[in-house]
Amino acid sequence: DAMVIQNPRYQVTQFGKPVTLSCSQTLNHNVMYWYQQKSSQAPKLLFHYYDKDFNNEADTPDNFQSRRPNTSFCFLDIRSPGLGDAAMYLCATSREPRGRGYEQYFGPGTRLTVT
Amino acid sequence: AQSVTQPDIHITVSEGASLELRCNYSYGATPYLFWYVQSPGQGLQLLLKYFSGDTLVQGIKGFEAEFKRSQSSFNLRKPSVHWSDAAEYFCAVGAGTGNQFYFGTGTSLTVIP
């Protein structure tokens, strides 16, 4: 089945130690998104790629960066995680931009713990 | 500014009872409307969406939603709730351009036996 895969499902990192989360898709979608979701809140978009074009949300901290080496893979890098970065990180894809009405397909998420 | 309001933070229903989750949006034109569900520890899954046409939309898992332009609402309904429906439900609006998309704050559903 076509899907969005996130690895790892659970990640524990130390305060200030860089961490990378990965996402892959078999849907061949143009758009890939990274969301941060804290407990009992809606997902918050960090950034997205439309093909190779990177789009950063205005309020995304510089501590968060992303790479999309090819259509299938996208990575979230947190350069110096703080305690406030502990959250669920969701990757999603859509064939075209979500604002134009295209369904997003979500991965199962990576739960990040910062110690 | 566009916004999405889900007035109910948390709802508890008995298994077998009917369910209605409320969603109101603020947008000048007819937006794209979505309901997503999130089970604990999982990603979101699309239940249904409205683009145009028939204002009553059928979705997966027995859910339906009705678009009411006059009330700027897109409420989600299910006639008989199952224990497996316990989850977080997010209403969302796409405003037509690439990144104009907004999630509501979510409604947490508890189902009691």
Side-chain angles (χ1 to χ4, degrees), chain A residues 29-93:
Chain A
H29 281 172
N30 290 320
V31 192
M32 294 187 77
Y33 308 86
W34 278 106
Y35 289 90
Q36 180 192 65
Q37 186 180 29
K38 297 191 175 180
S39 183
S40 301
Q41 296 183 17
K44 178 182 181 299
L45 185 67
L46 295 173
F47 25 59
H48 74 277
Y49 275 93
Y50 187 3
D51 196 8
K52 296 180 181 178
D53 292 333
F54 177 70
N55 298 270
N56 197 34
E57 293 300 295
D59 58 353
T60 298
D62 293 340
N63 200 25
F64 291 85
Q65 302 195 340
S66 185
R67 298 169 281 136
R68 189 180 185 185
N70 54 52
T71 300
S72 301
F73 285 86
C74 196
F75 300 96
L76 170 62
D77 301 308
I78 309 177
R79 291 193 294 186
S80 181
L83 297 179
D85 297 326
M88 175 76 91
Y89 290 88
L90 295 168
C91 175
T93 73

Side-chain angles (χ1 to χ4, degrees), chain B residues 25-95:
Chain B
Y25 65 90
S26 171
Y27 181 62
T30 299
Y32 304 111
L33 297 163
F34 305 83
W35 276 100
Y36 282 89
V37 62
Q38 184 177 30
S39 297
Q42 299 296 318
L44 282 70
Q45 180 184 21
L46 182 70
L47 284 175
L48 47 79
K49 59 185 178 184
Y50 173 78
F51 285 6
S52 63
D54 192 348
T55 56
L56 186 62
V57 181
Q58 301 298 319
I60 63 171
K61 305 184 180 186
F63 285 91
E64 66 178 26
E66 186 171 12
F67 169 61
K68 292 185 177 180
R69 185 191 305 274
S70 61
Q71 299 176 18
S72 297
S73 69
F74 189 56
N75 294 349
L76 182 71
R77 300 193 295 248
K78 186 170 185 178
S80 178
V81 170
H82 188 262
W83 63 266
S84 61
D85 294 323
E88 188 84 18
Y89 290 80
F90 293 98
C91 181
V93 170

Side-chain angles (χ1 to χ4, degrees), chain A residues 17-29:
Chain A
K17 185 175 181 181
V19 65
T20 294
L21 310 182
S22 74
C23 176
S24 64
Q25 56 137 338
T26 60
L27 297 160
N28 203 33
H29 281 172

